[in-house]
PDB file of all heavy atoms in Angstrom:
ATOM      1  N   ALA A  23       1.428  -8.654  -2.574  1.00 93.00           N
ATOM      2  CA  ALA A  23       1.929  -9.789  -1.805  1.00 93.00           C
ATOM      3  C   ALA A  23       1.899  -9.492  -0.314  1.00 93.00           C
ATOM      4  O   ALA A  23       2.012 -10.403   0.502  1.00 93.00           O
ATOM      5  CB  ALA A  23       3.344 -10.139  -2.237  1.00 93.00           C
ATOM      6  N   HIS A  36     -14.275   0.714   6.670  1.00 92.00           N
ATOM      7  CA  HIS A  36     -15.231  -0.343   7.015  1.00 92.00           C
ATOM      8  C   HIS A  36     -15.304  -1.445   5.959  1.00 92.00           C
ATOM      9  O   HIS A  36     -15.864  -2.509   6.203  1.00 92.00           O
ATOM     10  CB  HIS A  36     -16.629   0.233   7.278  1.00 92.00           C
ATOM     11  CG  HIS A  36     -17.251   0.950   6.111  1.00 92.00           C
ATOM     12  ND1 HIS A  36     -17.710   0.303   4.974  1.00 92.00           N
ATOM     13  CD2 HIS A  36     -17.510   2.268   5.910  1.00 92.00           C
ATOM     14  CE1 HIS A  36     -18.217   1.179   4.129  1.00 92.00           C
ATOM     15  NE2 HIS A  36     -18.108   2.378   4.667  1.00 92.00           N
ATOM     16  N   LEU A  84     -10.757  -9.320  14.526  1.00 92.00           N
ATOM     17  CA  LEU A  84     -11.541  -8.230  13.929  1.00 92.00           C
ATOM     18  C   LEU A  84     -12.999  -8.420  14.336  1.00 92.00           C
ATOM     19  O   LEU A  84     -13.837  -8.874  13.557  1.00 92.00           O
ATOM     20  CB  LEU A  84     -11.382  -8.242  12.403  1.00 92.00           C
ATOM     21  CG  LEU A  84      -9.942  -8.090  11.885  1.00 92.00           C
ATOM     22  CD1 LEU A  84      -9.902  -8.212  10.357  1.00 92.00           C
ATOM     23  CD2 LEU A  84      -9.352  -6.751  12.320  1.00 92.00           C
ATOM     24  N   GLY A  94     -11.460 -19.561  -2.578  1.00 96.00           N
ATOM     25  CA  GLY A  94     -10.415 -19.697  -3.579  1.00 96.00           C
ATOM     26  C   GLY A  94      -9.018 -19.498  -3.037  1.00 96.00           C
ATOM     27  O   GLY A  94      -8.144 -18.977  -3.734  1.00 96.00           O
ATOM     28  N   LEU A 110     -20.389 -11.740  12.860  1.00 97.00           N
ATOM     29  CA  LEU A 110     -20.325 -12.233  11.487  1.00 97.00           C
ATOM     30  C   LEU A 110     -21.700 -12.684  10.988  1.00 97.00           C
ATOM     31  O   LEU A 110     -22.387 -13.469  11.633  1.00 97.00           O
ATOM     32  CB  LEU A 110     -19.338 -13.399  11.403  1.00 97.00           C
ATOM     33  CG  LEU A 110     -18.689 -13.662  10.044  1.00 97.00           C
ATOM     34  CD1 LEU A 110     -17.872 -12.454   9.607  1.00 97.00           C
ATOM     35  CD2 LEU A 110     -17.801 -14.890  10.114  1.00 97.00           C
ATOM     36  N   PHE A 112     -21.998 -13.125   7.243  1.00 97.00           N
ATOM     37  CA  PHE A 112     -21.714 -13.768   5.952  1.00 97.00           C
ATOM     38  C   PHE A 112     -20.310 -14.352   6.007  1.00 97.00           C
ATOM     39  O   PHE A 112     -19.346 -13.636   6.290  1.00 97.00           O
ATOM     40  CB  PHE A 112     -21.825 -12.736   4.827  1.00 97.00           C
ATOM     41  CG  PHE A 112     -21.493 -13.277   3.456  1.00 97.00           C
ATOM     42  CD1 PHE A 112     -22.479 -13.824   2.650  1.00 97.00           C
ATOM     43  CD2 PHE A 112     -20.194 -13.232   2.972  1.00 97.00           C
ATOM     44  CE1 PHE A 112     -22.170 -14.318   1.377  1.00 97.00           C
ATOM     45  CE2 PHE A 112     -19.878 -13.718   1.711  1.00 97.00           C
ATOM     46  CZ  PHE A 112     -20.875 -14.268   0.914  1.00 97.00           C
ATOM     47  N   PHE A 119      -9.671 -26.426   0.488  1.00 97.00           N
ATOM     48  CA  PHE A 119      -9.408 -27.854   0.681  1.00 97.00           C
ATOM     49  C   PHE A 119      -9.866 -28.291   2.076  1.00 97.00           C
ATOM     50  O   PHE A 119      -9.279 -29.190   2.676  1.00 97.00           O
ATOM     51  CB  PHE A 119      -7.920 -28.149   0.494  1.00 97.00           C
ATOM     52  CG  PHE A 119      -7.379 -27.730  -0.844  1.00 97.00           C
ATOM     53  CD1 PHE A 119      -6.762 -26.498  -0.997  1.00 97.00           C
ATOM     54  CD2 PHE A 119      -7.518 -28.541  -1.961  1.00 97.00           C
ATOM     55  CE1 PHE A 119      -6.271 -26.093  -2.240  1.00 97.00           C
ATOM     56  CE2 PHE A 119      -7.041 -28.153  -3.196  1.00 97.00           C
ATOM     57  CZ  PHE A 119      -6.418 -26.928  -3.340  1.00 97.00           C
ATOM     58  N   ILE A 123     -15.677 -29.437   9.473  1.00 96.00           N
ATOM     59  CA  ILE A 123     -16.259 -28.219  10.026  1.00 96.00           C
ATOM     60  C   ILE A 123     -16.185 -28.312  11.546  1.00 96.00           C
ATOM     61  O   ILE A 123     -16.735 -29.251  12.128  1.00 96.00           O
ATOM     62  CB  ILE A 123     -17.728 -28.062   9.586  1.00 96.00           C
ATOM     63  CG1 ILE A 123     -17.824 -28.059   8.058  1.00 96.00           C
ATOM     64  CG2 ILE A 123     -18.330 -26.792  10.161  1.00 96.00           C
ATOM     65  CD1 ILE A 123     -19.254 -28.076   7.553  1.00 96.00           C
ATOM     66  N   PRO A 131     -23.785 -16.358  16.488  1.00 94.00           N
ATOM     67  CA  PRO A 131     -25.230 -16.129  16.640  1.00 94.00           C
ATOM     68  C   PRO A 131     -25.877 -15.325  15.525  1.00 94.00           C
ATOM     69  O   PRO A 131     -27.089 -15.416  15.321  1.00 94.00           O
ATOM     70  CB  PRO A 131     -25.318 -15.374  17.981  1.00 94.00           C
ATOM     71  CG  PRO A 131     -23.989 -14.703  18.122  1.00 94.00           C
ATOM     72  CD  PRO A 131     -22.996 -15.654  17.515  1.00 94.00           C
ATOM     73  N   TYR A 135     -25.530 -16.363   6.243  1.00 96.00           N
ATOM     74  CA  TYR A 135     -25.135 -16.992   4.979  1.00 96.00           C
ATOM     75  C   TYR A 135     -23.791 -17.696   5.183  1.00 96.00           C
ATOM     76  O   TYR A 135     -22.790 -17.057   5.525  1.00 96.00           O
ATOM     77  CB  TYR A 135     -25.014 -15.939   3.866  1.00 96.00           C
ATOM     78  CG  TYR A 135     -26.301 -15.197   3.620  1.00 96.00           C
ATOM     79  CD1 TYR A 135     -26.555 -13.990   4.260  1.00 96.00           C
ATOM     80  CD2 TYR A 135     -27.280 -15.707   2.767  1.00 96.00           C
ATOM     81  CE1 TYR A 135     -27.740 -13.309   4.063  1.00 96.00           C
ATOM     82  CE2 TYR A 135     -28.469 -15.040   2.560  1.00 96.00           C
ATOM     83  CZ  TYR A 135     -28.691 -13.840   3.210  1.00 96.00           C
ATOM     84  OH  TYR A 135     -29.878 -13.172   3.011  1.00 96.00           O
ATOM     85  N   ILE A 143     -15.374 -31.658   2.303  1.00 97.00           N
ATOM     86  CA  ILE A 143     -16.068 -31.917   3.567  1.00 97.00           C
ATOM     87  C   ILE A 143     -16.847 -33.228   3.466  1.00 97.00           C
ATOM     88  O   ILE A 143     -17.606 -33.433   2.515  1.00 97.00           O
ATOM     89  CB  ILE A 143     -17.006 -30.749   3.902  1.00 97.00           C
ATOM     90  CG1 ILE A 143     -16.184 -29.463   4.066  1.00 97.00           C
ATOM     91  CG2 ILE A 143     -17.820 -31.039   5.160  1.00 97.00           C
ATOM     92  CD1 ILE A 143     -17.018 -28.212   4.126  1.00 97.00           C
ATOM     93  N   PRO A 147     -21.272 -31.415  11.313  1.00 93.00           N
ATOM     94  CA  PRO A 147     -21.484 -31.628  12.747  1.00 93.00           C
ATOM     95  C   PRO A 147     -22.912 -31.268  13.130  1.00 93.00           C
ATOM     96  O   PRO A 147     -23.455 -30.260  12.662  1.00 93.00           O
ATOM     97  CB  PRO A 147     -20.476 -30.679  13.399  1.00 93.00           C
ATOM     98  CG  PRO A 147     -20.226 -29.621  12.375  1.00 93.00           C
ATOM     99  CD  PRO A 147     -20.340 -30.307  11.046  1.00 93.00           C
ATOM    100  N   SER A 160     -24.620 -23.306   1.712  1.00 93.00           N
ATOM    101  CA  SER A 160     -24.123 -23.836   0.440  1.00 93.00           C
ATOM    102  C   SER A 160     -23.081 -24.906   0.703  1.00 93.00           C
ATOM    103  O   SER A 160     -21.998 -24.619   1.223  1.00 93.00           O
ATOM    104  CB  SER A 160     -23.508 -22.710  -0.405  1.00 93.00           C
ATOM    105  OG  SER A 160     -24.492 -21.762  -0.768  1.00 93.00           O
ATOM    106  N   VAL A 194     -26.307 -44.311   0.900  1.00 38.00           N
ATOM    107  CA  VAL A 194     -25.398 -45.142   1.669  1.00 38.00           C
ATOM    108  C   VAL A 194     -26.090 -45.594   2.945  1.00 38.00           C
ATOM    109  O   VAL A 194     -26.566 -44.783   3.720  1.00 38.00           O
ATOM    110  CB  VAL A 194     -24.116 -44.349   2.018  1.00 38.00           C
ATOM    111  CG1 VAL A 194     -23.155 -45.220   2.817  1.00 38.00           C
ATOM    112  CG2 VAL A 194     -23.443 -43.844   0.756  1.00 38.00           C
ATOM    113  N   ASP A 223     -28.167 -44.843  45.962  1.00 86.00           N
ATOM    114  CA  ASP A 223     -28.151 -46.294  45.784  1.00 86.00           C
ATOM    115  C   ASP A 223     -26.997 -46.761  44.896  1.00 86.00           C
ATOM    116  O   ASP A 223     -26.633 -47.942  44.929  1.00 86.00           O
ATOM    117  CB  ASP A 223     -29.472 -46.774  45.165  1.00 86.00           C
ATOM    118  CG  ASP A 223     -30.662 -46.478  46.057  1.00 86.00           C
ATOM    119  OD1 ASP A 223     -30.465 -46.392  47.281  1.00 86.00           O
ATOM    120  OD2 ASP A 223     -31.780 -46.337  45.517  1.00 86.00           O
ATOM    121  N   PRO A 280     -37.737 -53.012  10.109  1.00 41.00           N
ATOM    122  CA  PRO A 280     -38.888 -52.569   9.329  1.00 41.00           C
ATOM    123  C   PRO A 280     -38.506 -51.595   8.231  1.00 41.00           C
ATOM    124  O   PRO A 280     -39.133 -51.541   7.185  1.00 41.00           O
ATOM    125  CB  PRO A 280     -39.787 -51.880  10.380  1.00 41.00           C
ATOM    126  CG  PRO A 280     -39.368 -52.468  11.672  1.00 41.00           C
ATOM    127  CD  PRO A 280     -37.901 -52.722  11.529  1.00 41.00           C
ATOM    128  N   SER A 292     -39.982 -46.573   6.374  1.00 35.00           N
ATOM    129  CA  SER A 292     -39.008 -45.498   6.373  1.00 35.00           C
ATOM    130  C   SER A 292     -39.597 -44.243   5.763  1.00 35.00           C
ATOM    131  O   SER A 292     -39.475 -43.157   6.290  1.00 35.00           O
ATOM    132  CB  SER A 292     -37.768 -45.935   5.590  1.00 35.00           C
ATOM    133  OG  SER A 292     -36.939 -44.843   5.316  1.00 35.00           O
ATOM    134  N   ASP A 298     -44.098 -38.017   7.691  1.00 42.00           N
ATOM    135  CA  ASP A 298     -44.696 -37.433   8.885  1.00 42.00           C
ATOM    136  C   ASP A 298     -43.759 -36.396   9.484  1.00 42.00           C
ATOM    137  O   ASP A 298     -44.179 -35.313   9.883  1.00 42.00           O
ATOM    138  CB  ASP A 298     -44.975 -38.529   9.925  1.00 42.00           C
ATOM    139  CG  ASP A 298     -46.106 -39.446   9.476  1.00 42.00           C
ATOM    140  OD1 ASP A 298     -46.872 -39.028   8.581  1.00 42.00           O
ATOM    141  OD2 ASP A 298     -46.212 -40.564  10.014  1.00 42.00           O
ATOM    142  N   VAL A 302     -43.697 -31.396   9.340  1.00 40.00           N
ATOM    143  CA  VAL A 302     -43.389 -30.334  10.283  1.00 40.00           C
ATOM    144  C   VAL A 302     -42.353 -29.386   9.699  1.00 40.00           C
ATOM    145  O   VAL A 302     -42.394 -28.179   9.930  1.00 40.00           O
ATOM    146  CB  VAL A 302     -42.862 -30.931  11.609  1.00 40.00           C
ATOM    147  CG1 VAL A 302     -42.486 -29.830  12.587  1.00 40.00           C
ATOM    148  CG2 VAL A 302     -43.910 -31.852  12.214  1.00 40.00           C
TER     149      VAL A 302
END
Side-chain angles (χ1 to χ4, degrees):
H36 61 71
L84 301 176
L110 205 61
F112 178 90
F119 303 95
I123 303 173
Y135 300 94
I143 299 169
S160 296
V194 180
D223 298 333
S292 167
D298 290 341
V302 178

